Amino acid sequence: MTTSTAPGAPRPRTAPRPAPGGGLRPSAKVLPAQARAHNRAVVLGVLFHSGPLSRADLARATGLTRVTVSEIVAGLVADDLVAELETRPGGRVGKPATPVGLRGEDNLVVAVDLTRLSGARGAVLDLTGRVVSETTVDLHGLRGPAALAAVEELCRGVLESARSTARASVLGVGIGTPGVVDEHGTVVEAANLGWSDVPLAQLLTDALGAGVHVVNDANAGALAEFTYGGSSPSGSMTVMVGEGLGAGIVLDGHLVRGGRMAAGEIGHLTVDPAGPPCECGRRGCLETYLSVPRLTAALEGRPPARRRAVLTAAGRRLGAALAPVVAALDLDEVLLSGPRDLLAGPLLDAARRSVREACLPTATDVPRVRTASLEDSAVLRGAAALVLSGELGFS
């Protein structure tokens, strides 16, 4: 990592580094050739998730030697990522241990959420995932180069704001976008933006002079729940219910992308060949029953009993579609992210029953099906988590 020479100073960049594993939490030592960067990420990850610790406690938590931990901490202090804190009082004889902690509020990340183009969001977040400032712009109707130029302008404005307020540095830019995105940040296909094979991360890295990392919006939601929301690191699926329908899967600490980078694209699974027409040209896709516009339209003007029936039916369809994935991957939990007035209650209850009835019961009564923790900040926080993974090696 390049040490910034002034508060908020940009770090020279040539190309974005793909996030290792899309959200891997390092936790053990590796081969000597990889050890330095990996062990640095291990220390950062422990401080991120556990809070301030002494060097001795860090050595015990990571399995690294005290000498190695001291060297890593010295480098992190020099890079303005970690600071020594006030000495903790204790009952031990001798010099009290000095804890070190992340400078979470001093180092900032820029995050962009393109899920709703009529209200695209750009935000500055600190390392704890707290939104420091936010702006909203209307990108509705923009396509191709015009959409790209507008996204660049949004990123540039938020990045300049972050650089002017960061007391240490701005680590990079994360973007959550609809569509299929590969591990290098190329948007393979995003129909509503008119993008096909657009190397978004590289183009914006060159334009902004900062590391830019791009991920599908549903995957961003899964990363956010994994990093900030307490979802299971062993196996979880976050289902994003919005203008469309998609899912992100985290398995054994890794974001699952799939061979065609389309893992979690469940919105166009056909659940009823004779069902309503879908924008993709087919009929009865899951999205035609579960997207927010479709659900809202189906509920409009209905009496309470009928509303409950509509939501129950939608939840039953969702659970039936998810159950094979949950069983095949042995997931611990499914999280539903979207408007709580639609998802909580009958829809959630029906989805939970469908999944549990279809999956093999176990002594621990998994899988769990619940609403997500982060609500409307999930994509922004997931984009921020992607920057932590890509720039610092942890999330």
Side-chain angles (χ1 to χ4, degrees):
M1 172 181 282
T2 303
T3 304
S4 58
T5 57
R11 301 165 187 264
R13 306 293 299 171
T14 54
R17 297 187 300 240
L24 172 64
R25 260 179 218 168
S27 59
K29 293 180 286 186
V30 292
L31 298 175
Q34 305 166 311
R36 186 173 181 178
H38 178 86
N39 291 342
R40 176 184 168 100
V42 169
V43 170
L44 281 168
V46 169
L47 291 174
F48 179 82
H49 293 288
S50 300
L53 295 171
S54 69
R55 290 166 176 80
D57 288 338
L58 277 171
R60 283 189 285 271
T62 61
L64 302 171
T65 67
R66 292 195 183 191
V67 172
T68 298
V69 167
S70 293
E71 291 175 351
I72 291 171
V73 168
L76 295 173
V77 169
D79 283 347
D80 296 325
L81 288 169
V82 163
E84 291 191 336
L85 308 177
E86 292 184 9
T87 302
R88 297 177 302 194
R92 295 182 181 178
V93 177
K95 183 179 179 180
T98 301
V100 295
L102 284 180
R103 294 182 60 179
E105 295 181 355
D106 298 336
N107 291 279
L108 303 177
V109 173
V110 169
V112 173
D113 176 5
L114 301 180
T115 304
R116 295 187 298 273
L117 295 180
S118 59
R121 304 161 70 192
V124 178
L125 294 87
D126 65 20
L127 298 195
T128 69
R130 181 178 66 92
V131 176
V132 177
S133 63
E134 182 177 336
T135 186
T136 303
V137 299
D138 186 357
L139 305 183
H140 182 71
L142 299 180
R143 295 172 59 83
L148 179 60
V151 171
E152 179 184 330
E153 182 180 358
L154 172 61
C155 291
R156 189 181 303 279
V158 180
L159 183 59
E160 289 176 357
S161 172
R163 284 172 172 165
S164 70
T165 57
R167 286 177 291 214
S169 63
V170 180
L171 299 182
V173 179
I175 300 175
T177 177
V180 178
V181 182
D182 73 13
E183 73 272 25
H184 301 291
T186 293
V187 180
V188 179
E189 185 69 37
N192 56 347
L193 286 161
W195 290 346
S196 179
D197 292 324
V198 174
L200 187 61
Q202 185 65 66
L203 289 173
L204 293 182
T205 291
D206 295 341
L208 301 174
V212 178
H213 305 266
V214 183
V215 70
N216 165 268
D217 53 357
N219 286 340
L223 281 176
E225 293 292 340
F226 173 67
T227 304
Y228 297 107
S231 67
S232 169
S234 299
S236 64
M237 176 191 294
T238 301
V239 180
M240 305 289 288
V241 181
E243 294 183 10
L245 185 72
I249 301 169
V250 171
L251 194 62
D252 294 332
H254 294 268
L255 181 66
V256 178
R257 296 180 182 271
R260 290 176 292 278
M261 304 299 155
E265 292 290 333
I266 62 172
H268 295 287
L269 289 174
T270 300
V271 295
D272 182 2
C278 182
E279 292 179 358
C280 73
R282 296 187 297 177
R283 302 185 71 89
C285 293
L286 189 60
E287 190 171 292
T288 64
Y289 297 97
L290 266 297
S291 70
V292 170
R294 297 281 187 143
L295 272 176
T296 302
L299 295 173
E300 189 174 1
R302 304 275 186 162
R306 183 55 185 160
R307 288 173 60 90
R308 183 177 184 85
V310 169
L311 292 170
T312 298
R316 194 178 300 121
R317 288 186 186 277
L318 177 61
L322 297 181
V325 182
V326 172
L329 298 180
D330 190 23
L331 299 179
D332 281 345
E333 59 182 354
V334 174
L335 290 72
L336 305 187
S337 179
R340 287 191 175 243
D341 60 330
L342 294 178
L343 300 183
L347 192 152
L348 175 64
D349 292 341
R352 181 182 291 131
R353 284 195 301 272
S354 292
V355 168
R356 292 188 173 182
E357 288 170 0
C359 294
L360 181 68
T362 68
T364 54
D365 195 28
V366 291
R368 298 177 295 276
V369 181
R370 63 179 177 89
T371 54
S373 304
L374 303 177
E375 300 188 41
D376 65 347
S377 68
V379 175
L380 288 175
R381 291 189 180 186
L386 188 72
V387 174
L388 298 186
S389 182
E391 297 295 321
L392 302 181
F394 78 94
S395 66

